[in-house]
Amino acid sequence: MTEKHLHELMEQMTLAEKVGQLVQLMPDFFAQGGEITGPMQQWQMSETQSYQIGSILGTHTAEQVYTIQKQYLENSRLKIPLVFMADVIHGYETIFPIPLAMAASFDEQLVEHAAELAAKEAAEAGIHVTFSPMADYVKDARWGRVLESNGEDPTLSSVLTAAYVRGYQGAQKQLSKDKKRIAACVKHFIGYGAAEGGRDYHTVDLSDLEMYQNYLPAFKAAIDAGVALVMTSFNTVHGIPATANQPLIQDVLRKKLGFEGLVISDWAAVAELMAHRVAADGEEAARKAFQAGIEMDMMSDCYLNTLAQIITAAPELQQHLDHAVYHVLQLKDALGLFDDPYRGLAAADLAVHLDPAIRRSTREAAERTAVLLKNEGVLPLSTSQKIALIGPKADSTDILGAWSWIGKKEEAVSLKEGLIGKNLDLSVLPYADEQALSDEYIEEACKLAQHSDVVLLAIGESSEESGEAASLTKLTLSRRQDVLIHKVAKVNPNIAAILFNGRPLVLSDVEESCKAILTAWFPGSEGGHALANLLTGEVEPQGRLPMSFPRSVGQLPFTYGQLSTGRPKTADNQDQKYISRYMDEDNDALYPFGYGLGYSSCDIEETTVLTISAEQGIFEVKARIVNQTDRAHHTVLQLYSKDLVTEVARPVRELKQWQKVYIPEHSSLDVTFKINQACFAYIHSDLLLKNDPGKIALYLGFDAKQAKKIGEISI
Ligand code: GLC
């Protein structure tokens, strides 16, 4: 439809019909069976109203979408199609590793391709929009939603967030033609990951400097990549919930970041303004959210039941309403829904046809995102060894993660199933989920371990223990898994722990008892096959940590990009009292950002820092990497910087660029990083992104802690 046609359509709409377009509800109001991802309230809705709403979220099947759309269009006066949205977070029915795992690939092509495949499967199920990517900056693993994030580095998160948007949406303005792509909704704007105490939905108090420097970049990347929607967050920003925060939405999102798409609330967040106690009733909540700039009210009845009266009482808001409705119609038009409300769904064949190629892709992704944290000669496994597989996750298909709701656990490949196909001398100790690692189970485990060469301990979190509304105050292994490790280690030291986790865990107390630790995260539908390939050495682990594993929960919030402070702890003042340190713990992480091992290794043999053009601020870093081993090696070469003197205090390290490299055995490789001064710009106290002259130290290495200084440049 042309802009003219859309405006002509709007002229036909009644006030109630316009308001209806700004309402998004569960499918339950039309048919049973939708995904509940927030508190459910029941409210009265007339049949007329139900055929005026604009959007449905959380459908499960193409048949459900087709049925609802057909019923809606038959009863809608203007026949404006519904737009269907859902949380396609890391796959639709065929599940990829969780986003935090995908970030461990440091591979934007992998992320973009995974998003494209997820979009294909979701589009075939009738989904038009996904509530993804999640672009929240995170530095507190107590917050269960780090699972959905791209980790603690704003630059890595920005690159991957844009990759998700490209993967879901395809080339700009192609959504109406390419029915295998879906619109993306970047979330949660903004600051959600800074919840105090890591407690979900808790207060956020964020300085503008911190917001502009660390929280906005990934959203800017999504917007620059053309993301169609932005979802606001539940939390307060400067004391006002984002859902009702006019300066945040109008000045920052619309003006500073230039976002021109649709702004949607989070689940029931408009109504929750009353719980925040910034609105006395639904009408005040609706007015505040609407005036702030929320254009679609997800799962609350505030707009549905009060917005028409608000507009009638304040006609100056009519234009505001038309803007919001236009954004909804524009989205529907961009998706081609006015031409085909079913977007390619064929009544004759609404059955699911999963593409095996997508399943293969999830396996490859799982192989490339697992992170080997430790290995003292235990991995890879060999067919000559007697191998024991023990622990609650040994034969578990609870490996899809918290946001995999369409994914079927029963179709996931467990670690046991993956290993069985590998012709190993494998003994598996069965584990019944209801057991919480009883003494009897641990005793059985020790017996089996005693007669084995290597013990694979499959441990970690259940899906419910991470994700939304899954905050923890302890990050050590739960359900007596640490007891299992310590007892087994006494009878057989050759333990390889296979960790299934949605967040960094505190492994300090068990690390010494394990000779190898591989974090699989929640690896998705093909987890078992991927892990079997990794554990037998068919594939080398190549994931690198996108988020630090702390030594203690007491260190949180934690990021490698900490500021210097006025009393930094250094190699020379370890025993001094009056420095920024803990009395009972080191300052650094157990496993740092960017860290990960393979089955081989390489060294940085020589480096050169070249100033190509001082006046234009163009530089090059060259490095020769050498692999002197008998085995090829995958790694991620990371370039960090430290701006030596700045206007506002800056981090001690900042990831600037990285390159995934593959080095054949007994060979070397020359790697070049091309950098310019723009990548050293930072947010100043006036909130402007700019460079200032000075010296910048450059560090090159394989994680944020190990990277060595290779020189300085002047800009
Ligand atoms: C949830 C989440 C949000 C999700 C939405 C719809 O509460 O906060 O990330 O997209 O509701 O399910």
Side-chain angles (χ1 to χ4, degrees):
M1 266 186 162
T2 64
E3 191 173 328
K4 178 172 172 290
H5 286 138
L6 289 179
H7 284 299
E8 284 168 357
L9 174 59
M10 281 178 60
E11 281 159 17
Q12 300 170 51
M13 295 171 76
T14 64
L15 175 57
E17 287 167 334
K18 287 183 179 177
V19 166
Q21 283 299 311
L22 309 190
V23 177
Q24 179 179 72
L25 299 178
M26 285 270 295
D28 291 40
F29 294 91
F30 293 88
Q32 283 317 307
E35 194 64 23
I36 296 173
T37 62
M40 279 298 280
Q41 285 98 5
Q42 288 309 325
W43 53 74
Q44 302 313 316
M45 186 166 77
S46 70
E47 189 170 11
T48 307
Q49 283 178 314
S50 58
Y51 293 116
Q52 292 172 336
I53 68 162
S55 176
I56 295 279
L57 82 159
T59 51
H60 281 184
T61 66
E63 189 173 3
Q64 196 180 21
V65 169
Y66 194 93
T67 305
I68 293 171
Q69 188 76 293
K70 185 170 182 294
Q71 178 187 332
Y72 180 92
L73 293 174
E74 284 164 357
N75 292 279
S76 155
R77 185 176 76 89
L78 292 172
K79 312 233 176 285
I80 299 172
L82 288 162
V83 56
F84 288 83
M85 305 190 192
D87 294 280
V88 184
I89 308 298
H90 50 109
Y92 184 68
E93 184 161 347
T94 310
I95 303 301
F96 283 86
I98 57 173
L100 189 60
M102 294 299 282
S105 70
F106 280 69
D107 187 339
E108 62 182 304
Q109 280 78 25
L110 179 75
V111 165
E112 182 173 340
H113 185 54
E116 180 182 358
L117 297 177
K120 179 174 179 292
E121 209 168 78
E124 286 166 0
I127 300 302
H128 304 145
V129 176
T130 177
F131 299 124
S132 173
M134 190 257 223
D136 294 305
Y137 171 66
V138 296
K139 50 185 183 180
D140 193 330
R142 291 173 295 181
W143 190 52
R145 301 199 75 166
V146 299
L147 166 141
E148 308 163 58
S149 78
N150 295 313
E152 72 189 53
D153 183 81
T155 303
L156 176 64
S157 183
S158 299
V159 167
L160 299 183
T161 298
Y164 276 109
V165 173
R166 293 193 303 268
Y168 290 132
Q169 299 189 165
Q172 297 269 19
K173 312 262 186 265
Q174 287 302 303
L175 273 178
S176 61
K177 296 179 181 61
D178 187 348
K179 298 195 179 351
K180 297 302 178 200
R181 302 281 187 160
I182 57 179
C185 173
V186 67
K187 67 186 185 185
H188 307 81
F189 195 78
I190 196 164
Y192 189 13
E196 282 182 7
R199 198 180 84 197
D200 208 351
Y201 317 121
H202 204 351
T203 304
V204 166
D205 193 2
L206 200 54
S207 72
D208 274 339
L209 189 68
E210 172 76 353
M211 183 207 305
Y212 277 67
Q213 188 62 51
N214 292 323
Y215 289 80
L216 281 181
F219 285 90
K220 182 178 186 317
I223 292 164
D224 293 349
V227 73
L229 295 87
V230 169
M231 182 190 295
T232 50
S233 55
F234 292 119
N235 56 278
T236 53
V237 178
H238 305 148
I240 301 173
T243 310
N245 198 313
Q246 192 160 348
L248 181 71
I249 298 173
Q250 300 304 333
D251 299 341
V252 180
L253 180 60
R254 291 290 188 196
K255 292 196 184 87
K256 275 241 187 252
L257 298 187
F259 180 61
E260 296 177 343
L262 182 66
V263 178
I264 186 170
S265 78
D266 203 338
W267 182 293
V270 174
E272 288 173 7
L273 294 177
M274 290 182 271
H276 275 288
R277 300 194 356 260
V278 296
D281 54 30
E283 179 168 351
E284 187 177 12
R287 185 181 323 107
K288 284 197 167 185
F290 183 67
Q291 287 177 318
I294 299 295
E295 298 176 309
M296 187 167 275
D297 174 5
M298 181 197 293
M299 275 307 286
S300 119
D301 60 349
C302 296
Y303 281 21
L304 186 72
N305 291 333
T306 72
L307 193 54
Q309 298 91 295
I310 292 169
I311 304 287
T312 305
E316 69 278 11
L317 292 176
Q318 181 64 48
Q319 190 187 9
H320 203 68
L321 174 66
D322 289 344
H323 259 122
V325 173
Y326 185 75
H327 278 156
V328 175
L329 300 183
Q330 214 174 18
L331 171 67
K332 295 181 176 183
D333 185 48
L335 286 159
L337 291 175
F338 287 108
D339 300 328
D340 175 7
Y342 303 98
R343 212 161 177 261
L345 295 184
D349 178 11
L350 293 169
V352 175
H353 306 287
L354 296 181
D355 179 351
I358 296 182
R359 206 170 165 101
R360 281 195 298 277
S361 297
T362 67
R363 194 203 67 241
E364 286 157 17
E367 287 169 352
R368 291 163 61 181
T369 52
V371 181
L372 186 59
L373 299 175
K374 182 179 182 182
N375 187 27
E376 290 170 353
V378 170
L379 296 176
L381 303 170
S382 82
T383 50
S384 61
Q385 293 169 316
K386 292 177 74 60
I387 297 160
L389 175 58
I390 293 167
K393 304 295 276 192
D395 191 19
S396 168
T397 55
D398 179 23
I399 58 173
L400 301 181
W403 273 110
S404 57
W405 43 276
I406 297 286
K408 296 182 176 60
K409 284 181 189 173
E410 60 276 15
E411 291 171 6
V413 178
S414 72
L415 175 56
K416 174 190 168 188
E417 189 182 341
L419 286 169
I420 282 175
K422 286 295 179 187
N423 185 31
L424 296 169
D425 181 355
L426 182 72
S427 305
V428 184
L429 182 63
Y431 176 83
D433 269 355
E434 64 274 6
Q435 282 173 316
L437 279 174
S438 63
D439 290 340
E440 293 71 27
Y441 181 87
I442 292 175
E443 195 180 322
E444 284 304 305
C446 291
K447 278 184 200 155
L448 178 57
Q450 218 153 7
H451 302 98
S452 305
D453 299 315
V454 177
V455 181
L456 298 180
L457 274 187
I459 52 177
E461 295 183 302
S462 68
S463 297
E464 291 70 45
E465 288 176 306
S466 57
E468 184 172 357
S471 303
L472 292 171
T473 59
K474 300 175 195 65
L475 294 178
T476 45
L477 287 166
S478 57
R479 300 193 310 277
R480 300 182 76 226
Q481 295 177 101
D482 53 340
V483 175
L484 174 67
I485 291 175
H486 291 134
K487 295 250 183 193
V488 168
K490 284 198 171 69
V491 297
N492 187 333
N494 295 323
I495 290 176
I498 318 303
L499 210 50
F500 294 83
N501 51 308
R503 64 173 102 213
L505 294 175
V506 170
L507 302 173
S508 309
D509 295 344
V510 297
E511 186 267 336
E512 282 184 9
S513 300
C514 302
K515 283 200 174 169
I517 302 174
L518 177 75
T519 177
W521 312 103
F522 284 102
S525 302
E526 280 287 300
H529 286 147
L531 287 168
N533 290 343
L534 289 162
L535 292 170
T536 55
E538 210 170 303
V539 174
E540 181 186 35
Q542 52 184 288
R544 296 294 183 266
L545 291 183
M547 194 170 179
S548 311
F549 275 50
R551 294 175 181 277
S552 156
V553 74
Q555 291 178 296
L556 300 179
F558 181 97
T559 170
Y560 81 89
Q562 303 174 4
L563 305 187
S564 295
T565 79
R567 296 188 176 183
K569 181 179 177 183
T570 66
D572 312 324
N573 63 11
Q574 304 276 336
D575 54 353
Q576 281 182 28
K577 179 175 175 57
Y578 298 101
I579 56 171
S580 180
R581 59 182 292 184
Y582 297 103
M583 294 178 71
D584 59 352
E585 189 55 273
D586 282 350
N587 283 3
D588 62 359
L590 182 64
Y591 301 114
F593 174 85
Y595 175 81
L597 302 174
Y599 289 143
S600 178
S601 64
C602 65
D603 298 299
I604 299 173
E605 196 164 67
E606 58 188 76
T607 60
T608 316
V609 176
L610 299 172
T611 297
I612 305 300
S613 162
E615 58 275 12
Q616 291 173 353
I618 298 172
F619 310 91
E620 275 188 9
V621 168
K622 291 182 178 298
R624 168 154 299 182
I625 320 293
V626 179
N627 174 358
Q628 296 170 351
T629 73
D630 299 331
R631 181 177 176 132
H633 184 44
H634 300 79
T635 191
V636 180
L637 187 58
Q638 302 154 43
L639 178 66
Y640 293 87
S641 69
K642 177 165 76 171
D643 201 330
L644 297 184
V645 179
T646 45
E647 186 235 10
V648 294
R650 301 285 310 135
V652 294
R653 289 287 184 285
E654 293 176 65
L655 178 67
K656 288 301 170 188
Q657 287 188 18
W658 60 92
Q659 290 192 34
K660 290 177 71 83
V661 291
Y662 171 77
I663 310 150
E665 61 280 14
H666 299 298
S667 67
S668 64
L669 185 70
D670 290 337
V671 181
T672 300
F673 291 93
K674 294 182 184 299
I675 44 182
N676 61 49
Q677 67 179 27
C679 77
F680 301 109
Y682 65 89
I683 298 291
H684 284 58
S685 56
D686 59 4
L687 300 182
L688 296 177
L689 179 69
K690 51 192 177 186
N691 287 102
D692 48 18
K695 286 187 180 302
I696 291 174
L698 297 178
Y699 299 77
L700 193 67
F702 301 108
D703 67 59
K705 181 178 176 184
Q706 175 272 349
K708 297 285 180 290
K709 183 172 180 177
I710 56 169
E712 290 183 3
I713 56 175
S714 296
I715 61 172

